[in-house]
Amino acid sequence: MKTTWNYQDIINLEYFFHRDKDGEEADLHRRDRQIFLDHQQQAATKERLSRREILRLWLKARVAGEFPGPERKSPGALLGDALRFAKGLAIVMGTVLGAGTGLTFFTYTGTTPVNVFHFLLFFVLSQLLLAGLVFAACLLRLFAPAMTPPSFYSLLLRKMLGRLAGLLHRSWLQGLDADKRTSIFYTLDTFRTGNAVYGSLFYWPLFGLAQLFAIFCNIGLLATTMLKITASDLAFGWQSTLQISSEMLHKLVRIAALPWSWFIPETSSYPSLAEIEGSRIILKDGLHHLATGNLIAWWPFLVLCLFFYGLLLRLAFAVLGRMLE
């Protein structure tokens, strides 16, 4: 018998607990005993069930009795529908945002090259910073749950999913009696507000939803970047008020390229020192001294940065969230 619990089971369990809180103890005892006896009569073997298995048996019988068909969804199923809808929404919104941001950023008109530092700051370093915060929060949640601070997922996505579940099934909910409707909204509140009893169970579905949004945002941005590089006369250069030498920048670029430079030829994985020096923008000198070969040498490095530090990193977080869900 399946005894692994997920957030839908917990929501249903809380719903039935809430439904039974004002019931007569003797009546509840007779009902629960009958559920167990019915199972024993139907079971092929008479093995002794653990407390976890008995509770699973009880929950399965209660769900089948009160929500018998697909048109009568349990609170856990309602929230599951909301999460599936939110995943589709995250895919669409992430793709549109990533593609739109890329189209807005690449406004090169042939007179001013795209500043490499701006690209790295907006699309790579910002993601690394967010990923670092997420990684630190995950470690804190795993090893010191009592010290876990409120997260973006808790503050925003929980409320959004709870309300979305109500909106998706508003007509069905309005057809229920007041007592059932109150119990369903109570259990949805359990998901929205979190519960110390269940630890991080309600955190990981929201974590995965956020990673799905970020994955498709990166896909949209990568697609737009490749489209602009392929279809436009796109050039990249670098300039900074800080006194950064070409040698220093080359060392930083080489370090950043470590995840892929071992299997991609050096000429393709990052620009050489000569190409970095040749793509430096000095305003007083204008652009006439910049060679095309140097101006286009940056794009493989930038695309690979976005792929490894954006898309692959978010995919790794999504897999982690799936394993811990």
Side-chain angles (χ1 to χ4, degrees):
M1 178 181 294
K2 177 186 174 184
T3 56
T4 301
W5 295 81
N6 56 37
Y7 67 92
Q8 296 186 28
D9 297 324
I10 297 301
I11 290 295
N12 287 334
L13 194 65
E14 285 291 330
Y15 168 80
F16 289 117
F17 285 168
H18 186 264
R19 293 277 290 156
D20 292 348
K21 67 182 180 65
D22 296 325
E24 292 292 337
E25 185 174 350
D27 295 336
L28 298 178
H29 177 75
R30 281 193 297 270
R31 181 203 63 200
D32 297 342
R33 177 175 173 79
Q34 190 60 48
I35 290 174
F36 179 77
L37 292 176
D38 290 344
H39 173 267
Q40 289 294 92
Q41 291 176 359
Q42 298 172 10
T45 60
K46 305 299 180 183
E47 76 278 5
R48 183 179 180 84
L49 300 178
S50 67
R51 292 176 64 88
R52 181 186 292 267
E53 291 172 330
I54 292 173
L55 184 57
R56 165 69 70 176
L57 167 68
W58 178 86
L59 179 61
K60 183 178 179 181
R62 292 298 308 277
V63 170
E66 191 157 336
F67 305 101
E71 70 282 355
R72 298 288 304 275
K73 293 180 179 291
S74 67
L78 296 182
L79 200 60
D81 287 347
L83 186 58
R84 282 187 289 273
F85 182 84
K87 286 179 179 178
L89 195 63
I91 291 173
V92 173
M93 292 182 63
T95 304
V96 170
L97 179 63
T101 303
L103 289 173
T104 302
F105 180 82
F106 291 113
T107 55
Y108 172 59
T109 61
T111 58
T112 305
V114 175
N115 193 324
V116 169
F117 288 155
H118 290 170
F119 184 94
L120 293 174
L121 177 63
F122 294 147
F123 300 135
V124 179
L125 293 180
S126 60
Q127 293 203 70
L128 287 176
L129 176 61
L130 289 174
L133 293 175
V134 169
F135 184 71
C138 289
L139 290 179
L140 193 61
R141 189 171 291 272
L142 286 173
F143 298 111
M147 299 175 57
T148 302
S151 66
F152 165 78
Y153 315 117
S154 301
L155 296 176
L156 177 61
L157 296 182
R158 271 197 184 122
K159 294 182 180 180
M160 180 190 74
L161 282 177
R163 292 173 182 173
L164 187 58
L167 289 174
L168 289 176
H169 299 278
R170 175 177 292 178
S171 59
W172 177 73
L173 289 171
Q174 289 175 347
L176 297 177
D177 59 73
D179 186 37
K180 282 188 177 181
R181 194 161 56 245
T182 299
S183 295
I184 287 178
F185 283 120
Y186 167 81
T187 53
L188 293 179
D189 276 335
T190 301
F191 187 88
R192 283 201 295 263
T193 59
N195 194 311
V197 174
Y198 304 119
S200 61
L201 180 68
F202 295 152
Y203 173 83
W204 296 112
L206 304 175
F207 176 84
L209 180 62
Q211 304 319 308
L212 186 65
F213 174 83
I215 286 170
F216 279 88
C217 190
N218 277 287
I219 289 175
L221 182 57
L222 274 168
T224 303
T225 302
M226 292 305 300
L227 177 64
K228 295 293 290 186
I229 289 172
T230 304
S232 304
D233 182 20
L234 203 61
F236 298 90
W238 65 279
Q239 63 183 123
S240 175
T241 305
L242 302 176
Q243 296 300 313
I244 300 177
S245 66
S246 300
E247 291 77 9
M248 180 184 297
L249 183 57
H250 182 254
K251 290 180 181 178
L252 293 175
V253 165
R254 186 170 55 188
I255 292 172
L258 286 177
W260 61 83
S261 59
W262 60 275
F263 66 92
I264 296 179
E266 182 177 335
T267 54
S268 301
S269 59
Y270 59 91
S272 66
L273 176 59
E275 289 169 335
I276 291 176
E277 179 63 35
S279 60
R280 183 172 189 174
I281 303 170
I282 302 175
L283 294 180
K284 67 181 181 64
D285 294 338
L287 304 178
H288 64 277
H289 68 287
L290 301 178
T292 300
N294 296 328
L295 293 175
I296 64 174
W298 279 98
W299 76 261
F301 171 76
L302 298 177
V303 169
L304 288 168
C305 278
L306 192 58
F307 181 77
F308 277 85
Y309 295 122
L311 181 58
L312 282 190
L313 190 59
R314 290 297 180 170
L315 283 171
F317 277 132
V319 172
L320 174 64
R322 187 64 178 173
M323 292 173 59
L324 296 175
E325 186 174 334

